[in-house]
Amino acid sequence: MALWQARPGIRLHVTIVSCNVRFMERRLEIRNKALEYCLVHGVGELSLRPLADAIGTSARLLIYHFGSKEGLIGEVIEEARARVQRSFTEAMRRQGRILLLNKFWSWATHPDNGPYVRLLFEIHMLALQHPDSYAGFIDSSSSSWLTLIESALPPTQHRRAKATLCAAVMDGLVLEYLNTGDLERTSAALDLFGSLLANHAGSVAAHSSSQQPQSKGLNP
């Protein structure tokens, strides 16, 4: 009798776990399909019903899985950001951290990565227009990118400021490239910025060296 009572409990436990696994798998599948949709159509005018029709589900199930349109957008943007950073981090791991700006530029202007870059820029623009709805989506993204850039810079007093400058210049050049398609001109601007950074670093190093007291030799 005791053995008979144990079996239903075990079966119930297995059933619950299986349901949870299927739920999460289905949720991730919907999120990934929604991301692919947003990479093409953007999120500024996103409506749940056309999205649901396009990815083979229903608006009701989207609400069931994500709570609201904003909840769905938040998870889509977080996944896009995570994919971007995983891809770029892997490129850095293979090639090293030298010439970080050039490597990021090559990555950002590659045709395969264009849809992700456009989507993240769209969120930044929407955050300026509708901060209550979208600003929260970019806080963690900005912080993590700054940390990544800082990690590639030498430890100096102004490393955070220099990382902020690099991020701002890259944002501006990528946006200019996306708007105009002029890769040659924007790439030349990046090369010039890199030269200015290198010259500044050399001047700082020379100044620091000149300020150090000269060591005295031993008296004979």
Side-chain angles (χ1 to χ4, degrees):
M1 185 67 178
L3 180 62
W4 169 255
Q5 290 175 344
R7 286 179 176 173
I10 294 174
R11 291 172 180 171
L12 178 61
H13 175 70
V14 172
T15 301
I16 292 174
V17 171
S18 298
C19 290
N20 288 338
V21 170
R22 286 197 298 270
F23 174 85
M24 292 305 300
E25 288 177 345
R26 178 57 176 160
R27 191 173 188 275
L28 292 177
E29 178 186 355
I30 292 174
R31 182 206 63 191
N32 291 339
K33 288 183 177 180
L35 172 55
E36 297 304 318
Y37 179 91
C38 291
L39 289 173
V40 176
H41 301 281
V43 299
E45 299 181 1
L46 182 67
S47 179
L48 291 185
R49 192 174 299 278
L51 168 63
D53 292 341
I55 65 176
T57 185
S58 67
R60 180 182 62 83
L61 280 178
L62 292 177
I63 296 297
Y64 172 70
H65 281 286
F66 302 99
S68 64
K69 184 178 80 170
E70 290 73 22
L72 172 61
I73 291 175
E75 297 213 19
V76 163
I77 295 305
E78 177 59 26
E79 175 61 17
R81 183 196 63 79
R83 290 186 186 183
V84 165
Q85 293 199 349
R86 282 197 302 267
S87 175
F88 183 61
T89 300
E90 179 59 28
M92 289 179 63
R93 185 178 297 114
R94 292 195 305 268
Q95 303 174 19
R97 294 175 181 267
I98 302 174
L99 301 177
L100 173 67
L101 293 180
N102 300 80
K103 287 175 181 174
F104 179 79
W105 182 251
S106 297
W107 183 94
T109 56
H110 193 283
D112 290 346
N113 301 320
Y116 288 92
V117 176
R118 289 186 178 89
L119 181 61
L120 294 179
F121 266 112
E122 182 184 9
I123 289 296
H124 277 74
M125 297 301 104
L126 288 171
L128 292 176
Q129 299 171 350
H130 309 286
D132 292 341
S133 300
Y134 294 98
F137 298 153
I138 65 174
D139 289 342
S140 61
S141 177
S142 297
S143 176
S144 56
W145 277 117
L146 276 178
T147 300
L148 180 62
I149 296 173
E150 276 190 283
S151 70
L153 296 175
T156 63
Q157 179 183 358
H158 303 293
R159 183 166 65 170
R160 186 72 169 179
K162 186 177 290 187
T164 301
L165 175 62
C166 291
V169 170
M170 291 302 297
D171 281 349
L173 287 176
V174 171
L175 187 59
E176 177 70 9
Y177 166 69
L178 292 176
N179 285 332
T180 66
D182 193 336
L183 182 61
E184 182 178 358
R185 178 172 58 86
T186 49
S187 296
L190 177 68
D191 291 340
L192 176 59
F193 176 67
S195 298
L196 293 174
L197 275 182
N199 291 337
H200 174 72
S203 298
V204 170
H207 178 74
S208 299
S209 177
S210 66
Q211 296 300 310
Q212 293 179 359
Q214 297 295 322
S215 60
K216 298 180 179 180
L218 296 176
N219 291 327

